Amino acid sequence: MNIITFIMDNAEKCWSLTLDHISIVAFSISLAAIIGIPTGVIISHDKRLAQKIINIANIFMTIPSIALFGLMLPLLAIAGYGLGKVPAVIALVLYSQLPIIRNTYVGISNIPPELVETARGLGMGRWVRLKEIEIPLAMPVIIAGLRNAAVMNIGIAAIAAYIGAGGLGVFIQQGIARAYEDMILAGALLVAVLAIFIDCGMAYLEKILTPKGIKIAGDQRP
Amino acid sequence: MNKALKYLYRLILIILLLAGAVFIDRTGLIEYLSDANEILYTAGLVWQHIKMVMVSMALATTIGLSVGILFTRPSLKRFSGVIMYIVGLGQAVPSLAVLAIAMSFLGIGFEAAVFALFIYSILPIARNTMAGIKSVPPWVIDAAKGMGMPGLQILLYVEIPNAMKVILTGFRVALVINIGTAALAFLIGAGGLGEHIFTGIDLMRPDKLLAGAIPTALLALLADYLCELLGFIIIPRGLRLTQEV
């Protein structure tokens, strides 16, 4: 296979682009989680507000990535960040908001109210309840949202190569420009493998971070 | 208090809109589009874009629905897990890569782009069709059987209407992704609104860039909205009522 030879010959380049790709996605996902999870928690007790916030996040999700890059470019160019990693990270953070906020909201609002009542009866305050009951119980759903967002972001980050963000999209971009099939296929293969790898990694994380009690309860369900 | 907030919210919205308008004017978009030739050219690109999306979506809907229905039939049901897994893997491949791969096999042009869009759009439709039909409660199907309906009637009158909401969501996701990916089809020589966007980026011409980006975004939002309206027509009324309650 020519792709394999291409990857072998350019191992160093492949490695550096992969690391670049991972760093963009990891940074934007962490930033998105820092913004999205608290938002999801805040809106979890206000159904109308939740509907509004989720609708806004849905609008961002609907705008195609290359159009979003295009819309942001002249705006960010004022500050001198029109091209490069900054617009890519902003776009990825915006795209991640919908899965993260929605899953946090769904996870917390689906907790049986009797559990929250019990916690209240035990004398737990708002914060303690959040920390001891709501977040741990919603954890699998929240991580699933992060997982969706991460896999999606890997694909979008590939497009961000066109605005100079680097990453594995560079292989695809340059491969198309040169009609160099091996380069395109190597880029596509590496991005797909990265996405699958991250997906499996997040699935494992989901397993670890799920509290033991829920797992047992889950197993007993038919 | 609430009323004051509402007014404040509206005021902020108006200020943002004005700022947006001033900004767009500063980039020269209005001047760019006041040239009749440019408007015609942009309209041509929009039409190219829509044509690509329509052809690929029509094909993808046909194939996606058939695959989804086929692999939920009792005789083929055992393969549905495998198919779901393959579809899940396929969705991990980024859209740009699918286009690029299609180019390396089919060359540049409209056909290659439509083929790539078609392949990429099958996945959400097939996945949601399978998920939707699987989620129809078994007792509903049992009831239909008990009434003496043959398999085809159960499919047409029971399974598909009950799964319609999920199928429509799949269609909507596929359509929105398709419109976004069609913007990348310029890279493999199929034209579309991506032409303005990528040329704008390469030349650092914000007016050209926005002339591509704004219609693309509006197209996607419009498609999303139309799908929502479509839901009011094709989702059976009884199902809508139960969801509201």
Side-chain angles (χ1 to χ4, degrees), chain A residues 13 29 103 118 133 142 148 150 163 178 180 194:
Chain A
K13 180 90 177 155
I29 281 287
N103 277 35
T118 312
I133 311 286
I142 295 176
N148 272 348
I163 53 163
R178 300 174 194 173
Y180 185 7
L194 187 63

Side-chain angles (χ1 to χ4, degrees), chain A residues 137 140 207 210-222:
Chain A
L137 282 175
K207 218 166 155 186
T210 308
K212 221 170 162 188
I214 310 183
K215 258 190 257 174
I216 298 170
D219 287 344
Q220 282 168 349
R221 243 176 260 147

Side-chain angles (χ1 to χ4, degrees), chain A residues 58-59 61-64 66-67 70-71 73-75 77-78 83 151 154-155 158-159 162-163 169 172-173 175-176 179 181 184-185 188 191-192 195-196, chain B residues 23 27 89 91-97 100-101 103-105 172 176 179-180 183-184 187-188 197-198 201 204 206 209-210 213-214 216-217 220-221 224:
Chain A
N58 192 30
I59 290 176
M61 187 76 149
T62 309
I63 296 176
I66 189 67
L71 292 174
L73 209 151
L75 274 177
I78 299 172
L83 294 172
V151 172
I154 288 173
I159 299 169
Y162 277 94
I163 53 163
I172 304 179
Q173 178 203 8
I176 291 178
E181 274 174 39
I184 298 174
L185 291 174
V191 178
I196 293 165
Chain B
F23 176 72
T27 59
L89 281 187
Q91 275 178 326
V93 182
S95 49
L96 182 61
I101 294 169
M103 182 189 84
S104 63
F105 288 116
R172 185 167 159 176
V176 169
I179 290 174
L184 303 173
L187 299 170
I188 62 167
I197 302 179
F198 286 104
I201 293 177
M204 264 324 240
L209 178 60
L210 289 179
I214 293 175
T216 312
L221 292 170
D224 194 54

Side-chain angles (χ1 to χ4, degrees), chain A residues 131-151:
Chain A
K131 193 172 132 255
E132 302 286 336
I133 311 286
E134 294 179 344
I135 298 274
L137 282 175
M139 199 45 119
V141 190
I142 295 176
I143 301 282
L146 283 174
R147 182 177 159 189
N148 272 348
V151 172

